[in-house]
Amino acid sequence: SAGRLGKHIDTRAHGGYVVAAGSTLPHGAYEVVDPTEPVPLPAWLHALLTPGQLSRALMATPVPVRASRYAAAALRAETAAVAGAGEGVRNWTLVRAARALGRFIPSGDLDRTVVEEALNSAGLAAGLRENECRKAVASALDWSVANNFGRPA
């Protein structure tokens, strides 16, 4: 789960561990610095942490025939992440996905139109507005294409 929710965020479940007040590490112990009671886990965060939603979304993304297996897997995973993104992280997830997938366009592994359609559909499924999706995807893909180069001929 490392990085699934965001940069430097790692979540664990069964067999994992929790670092919180009372935990001791070589550099010292964690302490409570704010005695405020914890709040319930937001529904959007619970949705992101719940397996199953992503696996259904992974299967729903059509993959272009000419895409490499790696590019096809990236397209499925990124569109699933966008579709499953909750309120508060939807736009960030969409832009991050577009930048990640944009690197496959100059090499010819993915067609830009296919990437745009997949990400825009995923953004709509996540609850973003159409014009919001199109602008964010186009801008992020432009950046990615400009900063990634295709394979040598």
Side-chain angles (χ1 to χ4, degrees):
S1 66
R4 183 168 147 200
L5 294 179
K7 189 175 181 180
H8 302 298
I9 298 174
D10 188 5
T11 59
R12 306 284 172 120
H14 304 289
Y17 56 90
V18 174
V19 178
S23 298
T24 306
L25 297 173
H27 67 276
Y30 282 82
E31 298 175 10
V32 174
V33 295
D34 182 349
T36 305
E37 288 293 315
V39 297
L41 185 67
W44 66 266
L45 184 55
H46 182 266
L48 287 176
L49 294 171
T50 303
Q53 286 186 333
L54 291 180
S55 61
R56 284 193 301 277
L58 281 172
M59 301 308 286
T61 303
V63 177
V65 175
R66 71 177 201 192
S68 69
R69 278 198 253 173
Y70 184 76
L75 180 64
R76 284 192 301 270
E78 294 294 351
T79 54
V82 171
E87 193 172 338
V89 295
R90 294 179 300 203
N91 194 275
W92 175 86
T93 304
L94 180 64
V95 169
R96 186 199 53 73
R99 285 186 168 193
L101 292 173
R103 71 177 188 224
F104 295 107
I105 294 170
S107 66
D109 284 314
L110 290 175
D111 182 72
R112 182 180 176 124
T113 304
V114 170
V115 173
E116 286 177 325
E117 288 175 8
L119 289 176
N120 286 325
S121 294
L124 291 172
L128 293 170
R129 293 186 313 268
E130 185 173 356
N131 65 334
E132 203 175 11
C133 292
R134 294 201 183 285
K135 285 181 184 177
V137 169
S139 176
L141 286 178
D142 287 345
W143 179 90
S144 188
V145 167
N147 288 282
N148 290 285
F149 305 101
R151 291 186 296 242

